[in-house]
Amino acid sequence: MNEVIRFTLNGKPVELAAGAGRSLLWVLRGDLDLTGTKYGCGEGLCGACTVLVDGVAERACLLDIADVANRKVTTIEGLANGDELHPLQQAFVDHDALQCGYCTPGMIMSAAGLLAAKPAASEAEIIAGLDGNLCRCGAHKRILQAVRAVAASSKP
Ligand code: FES
Ligand code: FES
């Protein structure tokens, strides 16, 4: 029998009956139609599926849907403030920090988790924070520029 899971998704309460053992990633993409969270490896190795859980960057492919019960999940679809892009989203646009865009949601969500904890993160902290996010297009240099720009705007 499916268990009823309740959690907050992008600021709104969600209640759904999900089979035990299903990952957050496939519930987001398959049941809730939030396809911004990408499937890359399914094994926690690429970062494409990164979301925020209670403000911390987590791999949605590694989380059972039951793990997020009564917690707050934010996906790339919930990051903007209405029509106003999140500063990281705007910085990715400004720095042309993508090519195919497949890694982009995960990159932005990892960076969002990092900068939520350390708004003025150093270069080394940014590199370490995004180390687990892969980009097959080789856009890393521009991605780092974008995240660096947002971190720099928080420095006193
Ligand atoms: S799909 Fe989750 S880390 Fe690769
Ligand atoms: S922009 Fe294509 S994988 Fe990163």
Side-chain angles (χ1 to χ4, degrees):
M1 197 170 86
N2 287 345
E3 187 185 349
V4 174
I5 308 285
R6 294 178 186 83
F7 61 104
T8 302
L9 177 61
N10 296 334
K12 294 189 180 140
V14 170
E15 178 177 309
L16 51 85
R22 294 188 65 216
S23 74
L24 173 63
L25 174 61
W26 290 116
V27 172
L28 289 172
R29 292 182 58 84
D31 299 23
L32 300 169
D33 234 6
L34 292 176
T35 55
T37 305
K38 301 301 185 200
Y39 170 63
C41 64
E43 297 180 354
L45 301 172
C46 73
C49 66
T50 306
V51 298
L52 300 181
V53 180
D54 292 337
V56 176
E58 301 265 10
R59 305 297 193 234
C61 69
L62 295 182
L63 288 174
D64 189 287
I65 186 63
D67 293 337
V68 300
N70 305 312
R71 301 177 76 188
K72 289 183 185 159
V73 176
T74 306
T75 68
I76 191 71
E77 290 90 345
L79 205 57
N81 182 13
D83 290 339
E84 188 185 334
L85 292 179
H86 183 280
L88 280 164
Q89 292 173 309
Q90 187 61 56
F92 270 60
V93 173
D94 295 344
H95 291 267
D96 197 18
L98 60 142
Q99 189 169 316
C100 77
Y102 200 84
C103 70
T104 310
M107 287 282 185
I108 290 177
M109 298 313 286
S110 285
L114 171 69
L115 296 187
K118 296 182 177 181
S122 67
E123 181 76 11
E125 287 169 333
I126 293 169
I127 290 172
L130 295 183
D131 195 41
N133 288 75
L134 307 183
C135 173
R136 293 189 64 179
C137 298
H140 296 92
K141 198 170 164 190
R142 299 194 307 276
I143 290 166
L144 290 176
Q145 283 171 355
V147 179
R148 197 184 294 134
V150 177
S153 70
S154 291
K155 290 199 168 112

